[in-house]
């Protein structure tokens, strides 16, 4: 009899088709039943877990949880944990065991990565095509809209109603008549009217310039590669058809800027001289009245020491009546106002006003001429104070002193008058410049309205 306990006997080999269970000697398990390596049957799903059969004591109170998960047996690998021979079981990083075949990538993982990548690539290709096209169209739309807005603003600024009446600002202002002294020669003439009031007409040009503002002309639409777009081509064609007018509008603005102030200066200058001519004209009329007191053929008597003298007017334009001191004083004052004051005013004008530096030498000549003329005109005025009696006592004919002074003046004037020499009245230069400046404004205006 052996000393070995029954459990110490070596297990006998299981019959063919059966698995050996070291815990149940001689008790083969039916083929296909679930076993663990220790011969204990795995509990079926839903049965009470644990290493012992139901009803056997566990050493635990029923209310205490089992120390192992469902179906777990102490010392056995747990479900979901790495098994011997698998990656992660006792090996760093789950290294592949020698002789083990490489595992295939899962198809779902491949599709999960490749499909989004493909979508991104497709969307990128679409964006690469669509975004530049959209941006180009957007640039075209912006350029066309900008041009249309600029054109509308320009057309509402440079209107025909504003520009067509430019000439009215200097209508009636005739510098030529001022230079020729026509007001003085023809006091009742209508070739020059209210010069100071006419200069105020130029304020209309100043207002027009203010209304035009900066008057920015539209710029040509320019988008690279936009040719062929209908809206873009139409805008470019419209610009080309109006480009000359756009340029002319800029020329009009610059012309107004440079010419209007100069026109005002010239107008004020000629207006001042015109006022001198107007005063001269009025004074000449008074002289005419005094000089025509005696008509041609009229007689009057003058008492002298040796008797009575009879004076007969032999001038077709009339004669001065100087039989009283009062009459002689009025004759004197009339001549001073008509000729002496006029000469002094003209001398001051040419000394202080000259149309341009180019004709300053001519202005100096005219200033010197009128300064000397005022002195000679004064001699004639003083001769009108001489009484006929004094004149007759010293001379054989009446009013010899005045006639002598006039003869002297005429001799001097014939030799020294600028109008009789090569020195032209600088006011003609003013008139030429005036006509040039106004002509430039009208020409620029016509180009805008073309």
């Amino acid at each position: 009899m052996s000393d070995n306990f029954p459990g110490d006997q070596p297990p006998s080999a299981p019959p063919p088709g059966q698995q050996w269970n070291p815990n149940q000697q001689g008790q083969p398990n039916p083929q296909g039943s679930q076993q663990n390596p220790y011969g204990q049957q795995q509990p079926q799903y839903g049965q009470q877990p644990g290493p012992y059969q139901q009803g056997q004591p566990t050493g635990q109170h029923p209310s205490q949880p089992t120390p192992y998960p469902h179906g777990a047996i102490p010392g056995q690998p747990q479900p979901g944990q790495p098994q011997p021979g698998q990656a992660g079981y006792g090996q760093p990083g789950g290294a592949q065991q020698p002789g083990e075949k490489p595992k295939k990538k899962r198809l779902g993982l491949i599709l999960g990565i490749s499909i989004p990548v493909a979508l991104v690539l497709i969307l990128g290709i679409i964006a690469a095509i669509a975004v530049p096209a959209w941006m180009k169209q957007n640039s075209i739309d912006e350029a066309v809209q900008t041009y249309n807005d600029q054109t509308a603003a320009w057309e509402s600024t440079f209107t025909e109603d504003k520009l067509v009446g430019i000439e009215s600002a200097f209508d009636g202002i005739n510098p030529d008549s001022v230079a020729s002294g026509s007001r003085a020669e023809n006091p009742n003439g209508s070739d020059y009217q209210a010069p100071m009031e006419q200069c105020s007409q130029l304020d209309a040009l100043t207002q027009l310039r203010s209304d035009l503002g900066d008057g920015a002309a539209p710029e040509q639409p320019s988008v690279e590669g936009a040719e062929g777009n209908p809206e873009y081509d139409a805008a470019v064609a419209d610009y080309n058809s109006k480009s000359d007018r756009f340029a002319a509008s800029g020329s009009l603005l610059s012309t107004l800027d440079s010419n209007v102030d100069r026109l005002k200066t010239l107008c004020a200058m000629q207006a001042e001289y015109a006022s001198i001519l107007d005063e001269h004209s009025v004074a000449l009329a008074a002289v005419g009245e005094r000089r025509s007191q005696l008509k041609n053929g009229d007689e009057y008597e003058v008492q002298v020491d040796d008797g009575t003298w009879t004076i007969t007017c032999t001038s077709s334009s009339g004669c001065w009546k100087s039989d009283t001191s009062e009459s002689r004083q009025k004759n004197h004052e009339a001549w001073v106002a008509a000729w002496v004051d006029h000469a002094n005013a003209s001398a001051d004008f040419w000394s202080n006003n000259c149309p341009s530096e180019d004709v300053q030498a001519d202005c100096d000549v005219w200033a010197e001429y009128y300064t000397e003329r005022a002195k000679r005109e004064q001699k004639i005025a003083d001769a009108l104070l001489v009484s006929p009696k004094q004149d007759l006592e010293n001379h054989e004919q009446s009013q010899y002193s005045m006639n002598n002074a006039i003869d002297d003046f005429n001799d001097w004037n014939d030799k020294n008058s600028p109008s009789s020499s090569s020195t032209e009245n600088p006011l003609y230069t003013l008139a030429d410049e005036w006509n040039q400046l106004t002509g430039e404004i009208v020409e620029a205006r016509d180009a805008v309205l073309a």
Side-chain angles (χ1 to χ4, degrees):
M1 183 172 178
S2 172
D3 293 334
N4 293 334
F5 293 97
D8 293 333
Q9 297 297 319
S12 60
Q18 293 183 352
Q19 294 180 351
W20 173 67
N21 189 333
N23 294 324
Q24 296 182 1
Q25 297 182 11
Q27 300 295 327
N29 290 326
Q31 187 176 6
S33 64
Q34 295 181 355
Q35 293 181 336
N36 58 44
Y38 299 96
Q40 292 182 336
Q41 185 175 358
Q42 296 290 339
Q44 298 296 321
Y45 181 78
Q47 293 181 351
Q48 181 179 354
Y52 305 102
Q53 297 296 323
Q54 188 174 359
Q56 295 180 351
T58 61
Q60 287 182 288
H61 192 277
S63 63
Q64 293 180 345
T66 57
Y68 306 105
H70 276 294
I73 299 176
Q76 287 190 329
Q78 303 301 316
Q81 294 183 347
Q83 302 295 319
Q86 293 183 345
Y89 185 85
Q91 300 178 17
Q96 183 177 333
Q97 296 297 318
E100 186 177 7
K101 295 182 179 180
K103 297 179 180 180
K104 296 182 180 179
K105 295 183 179 178
R106 296 181 181 177
L107 179 60
L109 178 60
I110 296 175
L111 293 178
I113 296 176
S114 60
I115 291 177
V117 171
L119 289 175
V120 170
L121 292 175
I122 293 172
L123 291 176
I125 294 173
I126 295 175
I129 298 174
V131 170
W134 174 83
M135 293 179 64
K136 181 178 180 181
Q137 184 61 46
N138 188 55
S139 298
I140 293 173
D141 293 341
E142 289 182 357
V144 171
Q145 186 61 47
T146 298
Y147 171 76
N148 291 337
D149 292 343
Q150 290 176 346
T151 302
W154 183 89
E155 291 178 343
S156 66
T157 300
F158 292 88
T159 64
E160 184 174 356
D161 292 341
K162 289 181 182 178
L163 303 181
V164 74
I166 278 182
E167 294 94 337
S168 63
F170 36 80
D171 273 353
I173 303 177
N174 187 1
D176 291 322
S177 68
V178 178
S180 64
S182 59
R183 273 299 272 179
E185 300 298 330
N186 185 13
N188 298 320
S190 58
D191 57 333
Y192 198 94
Q193 300 174 356
M196 296 303 291
E197 293 179 4
Q198 287 177 333
C199 284
S200 65
Q201 295 174 192
L202 296 176
D203 291 340
L205 292 178
T206 302
Q207 184 60 49
L208 173 63
R209 180 63 187 87
S210 177
D211 293 342
L212 296 179
D214 57 10
E219 297 181 358
Q220 180 179 359
S222 180
V223 178
E224 185 177 356
E227 295 79 5
N229 181 281
E231 292 80 7
Y232 179 82
D233 290 345
V236 172
D238 185 75
Y239 174 85
N240 291 335
S241 67
K242 299 175 181 177
S243 58
D244 290 342
R245 295 180 60 203
F246 293 155
S249 67
S251 176
L252 174 60
L253 294 180
S254 60
T255 300
L256 290 173
D257 288 337
S258 61
N259 290 15
V260 173
D261 288 343
R262 180 59 178 167
L263 286 174
K264 287 186 174 183
T265 299
L266 296 178
C267 193
M269 190 180 300
Q270 66 165 327
E272 182 177 349
Y273 196 74
S275 67
I276 294 175
L277 295 181
D278 284 342
E279 292 174 1
H280 182 46
S281 177
V282 173
L284 281 178
V287 168
E289 291 178 1
R290 298 302 300 175
R291 189 173 184 176
S292 63
Q293 287 178 312
L294 297 176
K295 293 181 176 55
N296 188 22
D298 288 349
E299 297 179 349
Y300 68 96
E301 294 181 349
V302 176
Q303 295 295 325
V304 292
D305 293 341
D306 55 354
T308 301
W309 284 69
T310 299
I311 299 177
T312 302
C313 178
T314 59
S315 172
S316 60
S317 59
C319 298
W320 301 89
K321 188 176 182 178
S322 57
D323 54 335
T324 65
S325 61
E326 181 181 359
S327 178
R328 291 191 295 271
Q329 182 64 34
K330 289 183 179 179
N331 293 341
H332 169 81
E333 292 174 354
W335 193 270
V336 169
W339 294 108
V340 178
D341 290 349
H342 170 69
N344 284 326
S346 297
D348 289 342
F349 175 83
W350 292 118
S351 296
N352 300 316
N353 299 277
C354 196
S356 68
E357 295 180 357
D358 295 338
V359 293
Q360 184 63 54
D362 293 343
C363 292
D364 294 340
V365 169
W366 280 79
E368 293 173 2
Y369 164 76
Y370 277 109
T371 299
E372 182 61 28
R373 177 168 176 163
K375 298 176 182 178
R376 294 179 179 273
E377 296 285 6
Q378 185 66 48
K379 291 182 179 181
I380 298 175
D382 292 343
L384 290 173
L385 293 174
V386 178
S387 68
K389 177 182 178 181
Q390 183 182 1
D391 227 6
L392 290 173
E393 289 176 345
N394 298 323
H395 305 285
E396 294 181 355
Q397 57 181 358
S398 67
Q399 299 182 8
Y400 178 83
S401 298
M402 188 194 71
N403 290 337
N404 188 46
I406 290 177
D407 289 341
D408 289 343
F409 171 80
N410 289 335
D411 289 341
W412 170 84
N413 192 55
D414 290 342
K415 297 176 182 177
N416 295 279
S417 173
S419 59
S420 63
S421 65
S422 59
T423 304
E424 189 177 47
N425 186 338
L427 283 177
Y428 283 114
T429 302
L430 182 155
D432 291 341
E433 184 179 359
W434 172 274
N435 294 331
Q436 176 185 349
L437 297 177
T438 55
E440 289 175 355
I441 292 175
V442 172
E443 182 179 359
R445 184 278 313 273
D446 292 344
V448 175
L449 297 178

